[in-house]
Amino acid sequence: MNHNPDNSSSFKSRDHDHKNSVPRAESLKSSKEKDPAAADKNETNEQGGEAKESEIKYTLEKAWEDIQHFLSGEEGLEIPDIIDKYLDLVEHKVSRLEVPEKSKGCPVPDPEDDGWFHKVVEQMSKLHRHVSTVFKSDSSRGPLINRIGRIHQRVMSYLEDEFRALLEESRTVEAAADQSPDAGQDQAKEEPNFPGYSKQVLATLNKISKLMISGGYEFECYEVYMVTRRNTIEETLNKLGFEKISLDDIQRMQWEAMEREIPPWVRAFKECANIYFSAEHKLAQTIFSDNPSVAKSLFANLIRVLFLQLLNFAEAIALSKRSTEKLFKFLDIYETLQDHSSAIDSLFPEECAKELKAELTATRSKIGETAICIFCDLENSIKSDTGRTPVPGGAVHPLTRYTMNYLKYACDEYKDTLEQVFKEHSTSKPRDYQGNSQSNNDENQSPFSRHLIKIMDLLDSILEAKSKLYKDVALSNIFMMNNGRYILQKIKGSPEIHQAMGDDRYKKRSYELRNYHQSYKRETWMKLLDCLNMEGLNVNGKVVKPALKERFKSFNAMFEEIHRTQSSWVVSDKQMQSELRVSIAGVIIPAYRSFLGRFSGYLTPGRQTEKYIKFQPEDIEAYIEGLFDGSTSSMPRRKT
């Protein structure tokens, strides 16, 4: 049999020939004007041809009526002479379907031929079955049986080509729909035109499948169907951006290239589960309506290959080298496999569905286990940050930003998926990822929440260690305040993280942040207040001026040093920056104003006052307002 996939071109040439035959009257008229005699001759020949065609049609029908008596056994076992006549007429009729040598492929019967070709196919199949069975052992009937077999094979070959061409027509229909200028926005939002066959074409395909199967050409019918539909589906997936990639090719890919392949895969899998699988199932049921088991088998074999191809891609991704930035693409794949697994149960035969479900579950488990390992690798990323250079100005550490943004995105976008992944696949975690902290044994926390808390506790311990890199204890506290505030803001901005942590842990972190605040004030501003201590300034009811002058000098020097040092420190959060300034001013300004009001009169006005009283309360307040913005500006001018 001819299985050349290029035979689809023959149908186009046949349609073209048929359409070109319509305006023959015009060409005949033109030839009459040039040569009336020749035109009359052509007209006579044409009328004769039409008469012969009419005779053939009549004789075919009449001959078959006579043959029916033979097939029913009414004529006994003798083969009537009418069979040879019938075969002659069939060969003559079929010969008109032959394609010129310059054309490729085989033709398809004319759509306006009253179905004669399909009738002939059906008749030849009946005749072939009958003589092959009844006269199987009669060698004298061999030549006739062989002739019937050859003609039967010939018409079945044409039928096979028609079947192939009509199946391939869906691609032409879809291409025409894509290029239609009338396709508006509403049409674009509708489901794809898949598989894209008209009712008339489906009816013809159904009829051809019955003819091929009943004629003993079921293998050719199934093969054409499988090959053509597989090619069509692959072309459709290619339009979505997904192309078949081997396991070896995927494993050789750099992550950037591999990452680009995942969204098209996700889209292709969703489209297959939501549209293509169901449409293919209905198509097989429609074309092979008389053979439900065949329809199921063809659909299962066709889609099984495609389904396993999609799963192979996911498995190849799971085998790639792990890194934290890959987590979210892995979760995209996991969600896709999870959300669309139900399509298998409703479409595939039980045994096939069981096999594919097992394959999908295995693939999903590999993706889930790898996702857990990747998430747990975040611990290693935190532990491996052993840098000994402190962040300038006590600002938020890059590790804090990376970790919290990573966790926030993971929880905001994938918390439910991560909860499920850890719940279903955490038993497969490597042993070194099992937590030993008390929080991990909290029965009220989910496996994912326990691990999230473990990571945040680990981050806290790493930040605590990095705070020791600052020689200035006050700056160490600013560093912990900055990072603690950043972490709290991320938790506050993510209800999912907040929920996973719980209110108690959130309050504990807020309490620790206040402690760092108080510790910072003790290390800096409370020492400055010691300069304003009145103890030792009064002796026997009199102010000791040298001691008073020394207090003013100490206060001035210490405040200038604080301003010089801390003006380059950074408090990133504007609200915390404002809170710190207000807190400092609330401690220093009232005390300084009181001290100044009580003792400034004991200094001699003029040079002595200017030497020891360098700042007014308003000056102190302005200087405090300039702290924590990371600048290194000099002190502002004093107010007079």
Side-chain angles (χ1 to χ4, degrees):
M1 299 299 298
N2 182 6
H3 300 298
N4 183 2
D6 293 334
N7 287 346
S8 58
S9 61
S10 63
F11 299 102
K12 298 178 181 178
S13 64
R14 269 183 53 83
D15 290 341
H16 180 71
D17 292 341
H18 175 68
K19 292 174 183 177
N20 288 345
S21 67
V22 175
R24 291 186 62 191
E26 294 184 5
S27 60
L28 186 61
K29 179 180 178 182
S30 175
S31 64
K32 280 185 178 181
E33 293 174 355
K34 295 181 180 179
D35 188 350
D40 290 340
K41 183 178 180 181
N42 289 339
E43 187 171 2
T44 300
N45 291 339
E46 187 170 301
Q47 291 174 350
E50 291 174 355
K52 177 153 182 131
E53 183 65 30
S54 175
E55 177 187 348
I56 290 174
K57 183 174 182 181
Y58 168 78
T59 308
L60 269 174
E61 293 177 353
K62 182 64 175 66
W64 181 249
E65 289 178 6
D66 295 337
I67 292 175
Q68 288 280 60
H69 298 302
F70 165 69
L71 296 179
S72 64
E74 297 177 11
E75 299 292 332
L77 293 180
E78 290 297 322
I79 297 180
D81 295 337
I82 192 63
I83 290 182
D84 280 319
K85 177 61 176 174
Y86 171 78
L87 295 177
D88 290 340
L89 294 172
V90 169
E91 284 191 308
H92 176 77
K93 186 74 171 177
V94 171
S95 66
R96 301 195 60 181
L97 300 178
E98 296 289 356
V99 185
E101 284 187 24
K102 60 181 180 181
S103 298
K104 291 183 179 180
C106 295
V108 179
D110 196 317
E112 299 179 3
D113 59 7
D114 296 327
W116 74 265
F117 179 72
H118 291 166
K119 292 177 184 176
V120 166
V121 172
E122 184 176 11
Q123 293 167 4
M124 287 300 305
S125 295
K126 289 180 179 179
L127 182 59
H128 184 255
R129 278 197 306 271
H130 185 84
V131 298
S132 298
T133 302
V134 175
F135 299 103
K136 178 171 59 175
S137 58
D138 189 348
S139 59
S140 65
R141 307 297 185 182
L144 178 60
I145 295 175
N146 290 338
R147 185 185 181 198
I148 293 174
R150 286 195 302 271
I151 298 175
H152 180 246
Q153 183 181 16
R154 185 178 176 188
V155 296
M156 293 303 293
S157 177
Y158 288 144
L159 191 65
E160 178 184 341
D161 291 325
E162 182 183 7
F163 192 58
R164 179 185 295 106
L166 289 176
L167 284 170
E168 291 175 344
E169 185 180 284
S170 66
R171 280 176 271 182
T172 306
V173 172
E174 287 180 330
D178 293 340
Q179 298 173 4
S180 173
D182 298 328
Q185 293 182 353
D186 294 338
Q187 183 181 358
K189 295 178 182 178
E190 296 178 357
E191 291 185 351
N193 179 28
F194 186 88
Y197 298 110
S198 67
K199 291 182 179 180
Q200 181 181 358
V201 170
L202 288 173
T204 304
L205 288 170
N206 176 259
K207 184 175 183 180
I208 293 175
S209 72
K210 293 176 183 177
L211 290 172
M212 292 187 72
I213 293 171
S214 64
Y217 278 67
E218 61 273 18
F219 174 81
E220 289 78 4
C221 179
Y222 304 157
E223 182 183 33
V224 168
Y225 182 84
M226 290 284 291
V227 171
T228 306
R229 289 311 304 164
R230 183 168 61 245
N231 291 340
T232 300
I233 294 173
E234 288 183 356
E235 287 181 10
T236 304
L237 295 182
N238 288 343
K239 291 178 182 178
L240 298 177
F242 176 74
E243 296 183 5
K244 182 166 59 176
I245 308 174
S246 69
L247 179 64
D248 292 339
D249 288 340
I250 294 175
Q251 292 181 333
R252 283 195 294 264
M253 280 184 177
Q254 296 295 321
W255 171 244
E256 291 76 13
M258 193 184 302
E259 188 177 21
R260 288 193 296 270
E261 298 295 333
I262 294 176
W265 177 89
V266 169
R267 184 182 175 194
F269 199 99
K270 289 180 178 180
E271 294 287 321
C272 284
N274 294 333
I275 298 172
Y276 301 149
F277 288 173
S278 177
E280 280 296 328
H281 188 245
K282 291 178 181 178
L283 180 65
Q285 288 180 319
T286 301
I287 294 178
F288 301 96
S289 59
D290 283 4
N291 298 273
S293 61
V294 168
K296 283 185 178 181
S297 178
L298 289 175
F299 166 76
N301 291 333
L302 175 65
I303 300 304
R304 179 182 176 277
V305 174
L306 173 63
F307 192 80
L308 293 178
Q309 176 184 325
L310 290 168
L311 290 184
N312 286 341
F313 176 87
E315 288 211 19
I317 297 293
L319 295 174
S320 64
K321 185 178 179 181
R322 300 197 314 256
S323 61
T324 53
E325 71 271 14
K326 297 182 181 181
L327 173 66
F328 307 117
K329 290 300 181 184
F330 273 74
L331 294 177
D332 287 339
I333 295 175
Y334 186 90
E335 288 178 347
T336 302
L337 295 174
Q338 175 67 22
D339 295 344
H340 298 89
S341 61
S342 59
I344 300 175
D345 295 326
S346 60
L347 294 175
F348 289 90
E350 184 177 353
E351 283 302 314
C352 184
K354 185 177 180 180
E355 176 203 355
L356 295 182
K357 202 69 176 286
E359 292 285 350
L360 186 144
T361 300
T363 302
R364 185 167 60 87
S365 295
K366 290 178 184 178
I367 294 291
E369 291 167 9
T370 307
I372 289 176
C373 292
I374 290 175
F375 191 81
C376 294
D377 280 344
L378 185 59
E379 292 182 39
N380 296 332
S381 297
I382 296 172
K383 292 176 182 177
S384 64
D385 194 319
T386 57
R388 304 291 298 173
T389 303
V391 179
V396 179
H397 198 282
L399 179 63
T400 304
R401 293 185 185 276
Y402 176 81
T403 302
M404 292 310 301
N405 284 317
Y406 190 92
L407 294 178
K408 185 178 185 302
Y409 186 80
C411 288
D412 289 353
E413 300 296 329
Y414 298 96
K415 182 174 181 292
D416 291 343
T417 303
L418 284 166
E419 290 279 11
Q420 182 179 5
V421 166
F422 271 83
K423 181 180 179 180
E424 292 191 15
H425 310 290
S426 57
T427 55
S428 301
K429 287 190 300 182
R431 184 172 299 174
D432 60 339
Y433 287 134
Q434 303 294 333
N436 297 317
S437 66
Q438 184 178 357
S439 61
N440 285 64
N441 297 321
D442 188 349
E443 295 181 357
N444 295 325
Q445 294 288 342
S446 68
F448 170 68
S449 295
R450 289 199 297 269
H451 202 88
L452 176 70
I453 293 168
K454 181 182 177 185
I455 288 177
M456 296 186 69
D457 289 345
L458 176 61
L459 177 62
D460 289 339
S461 64
I462 295 296
L463 291 174
E464 185 71 31
K466 290 185 179 297
S467 71
K468 303 295 191 294
L469 298 175
Y470 296 99
K471 296 179 180 180
D472 192 320
V473 177
L475 180 56
S476 173
N477 283 292
I478 289 290
F479 172 77
M480 293 303 293
M481 288 174 65
N482 272 319
N483 286 272
R485 180 73 169 205
Y486 187 87
I487 292 172
L488 274 180
Q489 289 298 97
K490 289 297 179 182
I491 296 173
K492 184 179 179 181
S494 174
E496 288 76 13
I497 296 183
H498 197 153
Q499 180 185 14
M501 288 189 57
D503 288 335
D504 291 343
R505 287 186 175 85
Y506 184 84
K507 292 176 181 177
K508 181 175 181 291
R509 286 181 173 274
S510 298
Y511 175 76
E512 291 173 348
L513 190 62
R514 288 194 294 272
N515 284 343
Y516 289 126
H517 185 156
Q518 295 302 322
S519 178
Y520 160 75
K521 286 199 297 185
R522 283 197 304 271
E523 290 295 328
T524 301
W525 302 104
M526 301 308 290
K527 291 180 179 179
L528 182 62
L529 283 181
D530 289 343
C531 299
L532 304 178
N533 193 344
M534 297 179 189
E535 186 178 351
L537 292 181
N538 280 288
V539 177
N540 299 325
K542 293 183 179 180
V543 174
V544 182
K545 285 189 176 182
L548 179 62
K549 292 176 182 179
E550 188 61 31
R551 294 289 172 86
F552 273 112
K553 285 175 63 177
S554 296
F555 179 87
N556 294 337
M558 184 175 292
F559 182 75
E560 287 176 345
E561 177 61 21
I562 289 172
H563 182 272
R564 184 188 65 80
T565 301
Q566 297 194 14
S567 62
S568 63
W569 292 3
V570 176
V571 175
S572 306
D573 184 85
K574 294 299 180 183
Q575 183 179 346
M576 189 173 76
Q577 187 184 78
S578 176
E579 291 171 355
L580 264 177
R581 289 169 177 172
V582 170
S583 176
I584 294 167
V587 171
I588 299 300
I589 302 301
Y592 184 69
R593 182 177 280 114
S594 175
F595 188 87
L596 192 63
R598 184 169 183 176
F599 294 106
S600 62
Y602 292 96
L603 298 176
T604 304
R607 289 183 58 189
Q608 197 174 66
T609 302
E610 292 181 357
K611 181 177 180 181
Y612 294 107
I613 303 177
K614 289 189 174 184
F615 305 104
Q616 295 298 319
E618 294 79 7
D619 297 327
I620 299 294
E621 187 173 7
Y623 300 155
I624 291 173
E625 283 296 315
L627 297 176
F628 311 127
D629 59 3
S631 65
T632 55
S633 59
S634 59
M635 298 186 72
R637 294 178 60 186
R638 287 168 28 200
K639 297 181 180 179
T640 57

